[in-house]
C-alpha cells in the first residue's frame, strides 16, 4: 500500500485516528481497491468502528504493496495489519501542529521492510519519518447492513453534543427511548446504585429537531456514551451530520457519517440487554451454563451462536461473504455471558496463529505474541531434559543436614 | 407537602443559578427551606466553631418566581425543610450554565421512584423556534420537624463595628495572595473606616490597607478578628453574584460576618474568629 495525502486530508486522518484511539487499543489497517480502511474494536468487543477513506481523499493511492521479490502481483501482496494505537497516536499526536506544518504525507506498507512508514513533508523542507512495527493479520469484520434497521434518524453532530451536555460528564450510559414523534434520553442507573441517591436526567427531543426522523419501532436501547463522545468529537470538528440507526433493546446501534466521495465511517455499538422478565433471563442463563460447559477446545465453529463469533483465518473470508449477502438484519445473538451486561458485537476476528487452536483456551484469543515469544525462548527450560542431571563433581562442602 | 415554582426571566434564572452554585461550592450538603414568602438556602458545616449557620441565604420568592405555590408540613408549620447533596445540584447546574439561556426553569417537589426529589424542568431553546425539555430529578431528604430548630434564622447580632467592604474583586486578589503565605489573617477595622488585613509569618508580615470605607455602625473604636484565609477566599470567589453592597460586621475576636445585600436576596456568611493565643 502506498498513499499520498495533502495537508487537509492529513488533518482528517489524524482526527479519525484520535477518534479510534478513544474506542480501541489496536488499529487495523486494511488497504482495498477503493481506498483505505481503518478499524478498531474495543477491549470488551462492544464497539466496532471503521473509517473508509475513498480514493478522492488521497492525492495518490495504490493498495498493492510494491513487490520486488515475487514476479506475479498476487493477492497476498496487499498487507493487512494491525498496530497498537499508542504507536500510531504518537505520530498524529497534535492535530494543531500537523495542520500548521505538514504539507504532504506519504504512508507506505512496503513488502520487504515489514514496517508501516509514515513520512511528513513539512514546511521549510523538514521531513519527518516514522517507522512503525505492525502485526500482520486479517482485519476484523462486523456483520451489519445499513438497510436492516427499523429506525433511523439523523441530525447535526452539534445537536447531539448539545443534548449530551445536559448529562453530567460522569454519566456512562444513556437510555434512548424512541417514540413515533420524539426521542427521550435518560441516564441509565446501575442496579448496584441506590436509585434514591442519584440524579436522574431526562431530555426530550421532538421530531422537528431532527434533520431526518424515521422511527418505525418504539423501543428502548441503552448504550455507552464513551464511544459516542469519541464519534462526536470527530464529527463536530468536521461539522458533519450523524445518522443513527436502531433496532431494539439488546441489538446494536449503528452510527454513521459521511463526507461525500471523500470518506465515510460506521460505528457499531452494542447495547445493554434489558432484563424485562426474569423467566426469560433465567432460562437463558441456564442455556449459557450449558454452553459454557462444552469443553472449550472443541471445534470453534460449534460456537457459532454465542458471542464473539470467532473464525480462523482460513474460513473467515468465505463465511463473512456469505453472511454479508444473506443476513439483512444485524445478526447479534443474545448475550451469552451472564456476568457482563453489555452485549458484545458479533465480529469476525482474525487469529494470529490458526495452527495453535488445538490446545488454546477459547477465551484467550489471539495469544499475545509476547507470550509466544517467551514460550519459544524458554522452551528449553521447560523441557524434561532440563531435569537435574546427576553431575558428578567433587563436593567441597558436604550437606550439613545430610549426615545423621 | 407541595412546592412548585417557575422562573421565566433570564436575569432571575441566571441569578438563581449563581446563588445555588455558590451554595453548592461552599458545603457538602445544603438545606433548602421553603416558606410562603421566601426561599432559604442554609449551608452548615459541622466543623463550625460557633453554633450559628455558616451560610444563610434568603431569596424573595416574588422576585424570582413568576408562578409559585407551596403547601407546608401543616397549617401551623407551613414550611418545608429539605436537604440535598450539593454535588448533585452542581452537576445539574453545570449543564445548565453551559447551555446558557433557558427559556424557563420549573422547580418542583416530586415523588419519583419512591424517593422525594427536587425536580428541575428546564426548557431550553433549540434551533430557531423549537424547544427542548430537560428534566433533572435530584433526590432530597426531607428534614423532620424536630430538627427544624437546628436551622433557625441566626439572631441579629450587635457588631462592634460594621463597614462596607471595598470592591470584592480587589479584595479577592489580595486574599488569594495572602493565602499562599499563611493560613490565617487578622482583620482589623476602625471607626474611621479603615480596614486592614494582616498576615504574619516568621519571615514576613504583610498588611493591606483599605481606607475611606463607609462605616455603617460603630459601638467600639476598633475591633479585630483572626479568620481562616481559605474560607474567606472561598467566599470572595462569589463576587460575580454582584450584590449591591457588602457589609462586613466584626465582633471583637469572635466573628466576621459578611452580608451580601441586594433587592431580591440577602446572603450572610459567618466566619468564626480563631483564638490563636
Amino acid at each position: 500500500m502506498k498513499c499520498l495525502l495533502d495537508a487537509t486530508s492529513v488533518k482528517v486522518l489524524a482526527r479519525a485516528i484520535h477518534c479510534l484511539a478513544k474506542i480501541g487499543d489496536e488499529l487495523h489497517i486494511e488497504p482495498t481497491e477503493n481506498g483505505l480502511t481503518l478499524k478498531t474494536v474495543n477491549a470488551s468487543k462492544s464497539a466496532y468502528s471503521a473509517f473508509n477513506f475513498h480514493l478522492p481523499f488521497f492525492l495518490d493511492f495504490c493498495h498493492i504493496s510494491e513487490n520486488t521479490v515475487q514476479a506475479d502481483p498476487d493477492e497476498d501482496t496487499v498487507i493487512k495489519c494491525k498496530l497498537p494505537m499508542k504507536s500510531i497516536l504518537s505520530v498524529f499526536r497534535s492535530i494543531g501542529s500537523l495542520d500548521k506544518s505538514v504539507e504532504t504525507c506519504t504512508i507506505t506498507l512496503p513488502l520487504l521492510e515489514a514496517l508501516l512508514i509514515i513520512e511528513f513533508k513539512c514546511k521549510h523542507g523538514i521531513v519527518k519519518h516514522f517507522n512503525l512495527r505492525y502485526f500482520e493479520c486479517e482485519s476484523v469484520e462486523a456483520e451489519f447492513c445499513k438497510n436492516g434497521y427499523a429506525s433511523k434518524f439523523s441530525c447535526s453532530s452539534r445537536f447531539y453534543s448539545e443534548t449530551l451536555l445536559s448529562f453530567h460528564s460522569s454519566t456512562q450510559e444513556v437510555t434512548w427511548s424512541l417514540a413515533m414523534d420524539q426521542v427521550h434520553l435518560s441516564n441509565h442507573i446501575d442496579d448496584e446504585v441506590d436509585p434514591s441517591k442519584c440524579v436522574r436526567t431526562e431530555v426530550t427531543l421532538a421530531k422537528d429537531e431532527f434533520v431526518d426522523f424515521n422511527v418505525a419501532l418504539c423501543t428502548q436501547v441503552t448504550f455507552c456514551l464513551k464511544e459516542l463522545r469519541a464519534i462526536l468529537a470527530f464529527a463536530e470538528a468536521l461539522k458533519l451530520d450523524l445518522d443513527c440507526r436502531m433496532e431494539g433493546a439488546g441489538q446494536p446501534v449503528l452510527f454513521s457519517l459521511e463526507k461525500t466521495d471523500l470518506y465515510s465511517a460506521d460505528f457499531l455499538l452494542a447495547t445493554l440487554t434489558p432484563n424485562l422478565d426474569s423467566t426469560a433471563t433465567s432460562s437463558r442463563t441456564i442455556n449459557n451454563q450449558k454452553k459454557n460447559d462444552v469443553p472449550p477446545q472443541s471445534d470453534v465453529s460449534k460456537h457459532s451462536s454465542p458471542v464473539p463469533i470467532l473464525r480462523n483465518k482460513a474460513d473467515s473470508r468465505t463465511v463473512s461473504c456469505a453472511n454479508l449477502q444473506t443476513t439483512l438484519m444485524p445478526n447479534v445473538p443474545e448475550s451469552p455471558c451472564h456476568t457482563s451486561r453489555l452485549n458484545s458485537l458479533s465480529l469476525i476476528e482474525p487469529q494470529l496463529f490458526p495452527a495453535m487452536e488445538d490446545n488454546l483456551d477459547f477465551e484467550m484469543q489471539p495469544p499475545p505474541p509476547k507470550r509466544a515469544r517467551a514460550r519459544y525462548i524458554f522452551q528449553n527450560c521447560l523441557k524434561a531434559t532440563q531435569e537435574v542431571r546427576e553431575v558428578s563433581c567433587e563436593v567441597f562442602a558436604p550437606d550439613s543436614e545430610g549426615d545423621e | 407537602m407541595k412546592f412548585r415554582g417557575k422562573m421565566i426571566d433570564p436575569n432571575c434564572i441566571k441569578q438563581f443559578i449563581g446563588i445555588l452554585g455558590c451554595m453548592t461550592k461552599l458545603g457538602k450538603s445544603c438545606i433548602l427551606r421553603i416558606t410562603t414568602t421566601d426561599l432559604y438556602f442554609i449551608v452548615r458545616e459541622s466543623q463550625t466553631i460557633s453554633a450559628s449557620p455558616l451560610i444563610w441565604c434568603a431569596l424573595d420568592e416574588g422576585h424570582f418566581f413568576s408562578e409559585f405555590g407551596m403547601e407546608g408540613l401543616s397549617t401551623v408549620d407551613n414550611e418545608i425543610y429539605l436537604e440535598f447533596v450539593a454535588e448533585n445540584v452542581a452537576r445539574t447546574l453545570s449543564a445548565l450554565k453551559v447551555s446558557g439561556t433557558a427559556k424557563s426553569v420549573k422547580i418542583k417537589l416530586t415523588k419519583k421512584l419512591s424517593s422525594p426529589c427536587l425536580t428541575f424542568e428546564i426548557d431550553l431553546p433549540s434551533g430557531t423556534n423549537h424547544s427542548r425539555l430537560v428534566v433533572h430529578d435530584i433526590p432530597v431528604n426531607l428534614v423532620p420537624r424536630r430538627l427544624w430548630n437546628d436551622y433557625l434564622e441566626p439572631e441579629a447580632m450587635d457588631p462592634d463595628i460594621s463597614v462596607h467592604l471595598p470592591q470584592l474583586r480587589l479584595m479577592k486578589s489580595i486574599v488569594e495572595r495572602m493565602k499562599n503565605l499563611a493560613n490565617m489573617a487578622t482583620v482589623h477595622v476602625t471607626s474611621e473606616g479603615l480596614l486592614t488585613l494582616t498576615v504574619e509569618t516568621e519571615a514576613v508580615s504583610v498588611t493591606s490597607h483599605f481606607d475611606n470605607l463607609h462605616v455603617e455602625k460603630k459601638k467600639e473604636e476598633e475591633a479585630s478578628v483572626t479568620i481562616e484565609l481559605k474560607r474567606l477566599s472561598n467566599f470572595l470567589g462569589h463576587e460575580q453574584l454582584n450584590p449591591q453592597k457588602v457589609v462586613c460586621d466584626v465582633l471583637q475576636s469572635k466573628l466576621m460576618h459578611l452580608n451580601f445585600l441586594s433587592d431580591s436576596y440577602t446572603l450572610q456568611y459567618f466566619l468564626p474568629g480563631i483564638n490563636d493565643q
Side-chain angles (χ1 to χ4, degrees), chain B residues 121-141:
Chain B
E121 280 182 22
I122 301 158
D123 199 359
L124 289 173
S126 140
T128 44
N129 47 5
H130 301 303
S131 68
R132 179 186 303 170
L133 189 68
V134 180
V135 182
H136 299 283
D137 295 324
I138 294 156
V140 293
N141 289 327

Side-chain angles (χ1 to χ4, degrees), chain A residues 65-70 79 109-115 117 133-134:
Chain A
S65 297
E66 25 193 294
N67 192 348
T68 47
V69 182
Q70 287 168 294
I79 297 172
L109 274 171
L111 196 66
L112 283 178
E113 278 147 286
L115 288 171
I117 301 172
R133 299 233 171 258
Y134 61 75

Side-chain angles (χ1 to χ4, degrees), chain A residues 38-39 48 56 74 130 159 169 173 214 216 226 237 246 252 292 296 304 337 348-349 352-353 385 390 392:
Chain A
L38 302 181
K39 293 174 184 173
Y48 161 88
D74 208 8
F130 298 91
F159 172 87
S169 50
E173 289 135 4
N214 185 7
K226 187 182 161 237
M246 291 184 183
N292 288 347
S304 55
C337 176
I348 302 162
E349 280 191 281
L352 277 183
F353 305 99
T385 54
E390 286 300 321
S392 58

Side-chain angles (χ1 to χ4, degrees), chain A residues 288-337:
Chain A
N288 292 332
Q289 277 162 354
K290 269 186 203 159
K291 274 173 194 162
N292 288 347
D293 287 342
V294 175
Q297 62 265 36
S298 68
D299 191 0
V300 177
S301 60
K302 270 185 190 167
H303 290 266
S304 55
S305 70
V307 199
I309 297 182
L310 285 174
R311 280 155 202 155
N312 60 27
K313 192 176 178 179
D315 63 16
S316 74
R317 262 179 238 157
T318 51
V319 176
S320 72
C321 287
N323 268 336
L324 281 175
Q325 282 161 1
T326 53
T327 54
L328 281 174
M329 300 289 276
N331 170 26
V332 166
E334 301 282 273
S335 168
C337 176

Side-chain angles (χ1 to χ4, degrees), chain A residues 382-402:
Chain A
L382 304 172
K383 272 183 189 160
T385 54
Q386 263 284 316
E387 296 287 63
V388 189
R389 239 178 293 162
E390 286 300 321
V391 186
S392 58
C393 57
E394 204 179 333
V395 177
F396 295 108
D399 193 355
S400 49
E401 293 268 309

Side-chain angles (χ1 to χ4, degrees), chain B residues 169-184:
Chain B
R169 197 179 307 167
L170 194 72
M171 241 185 121
K172 184 189 153 199
S173 61
I174 288 168
V175 170
E176 291 276 295
R177 282 184 178 79
M178 286 185 164
K179 203 171 69 175
N180 297 332
L181 293 173
N183 294 328
M184 292 182 291

Side-chain angles (χ1 to χ4, degrees), chain A residues 165 168 196 200-202 204 209, chain B residues 95 117 126 133 135-137 139:
Chain A
L165 268 185
H168 189 251
S196 66
R200 287 178 294 276
T201 301
E202 290 172 10
T204 309
E209 291 189 72
Chain B
C117 284
S126 140
L133 189 68
V135 182
H136 299 283
D137 295 324

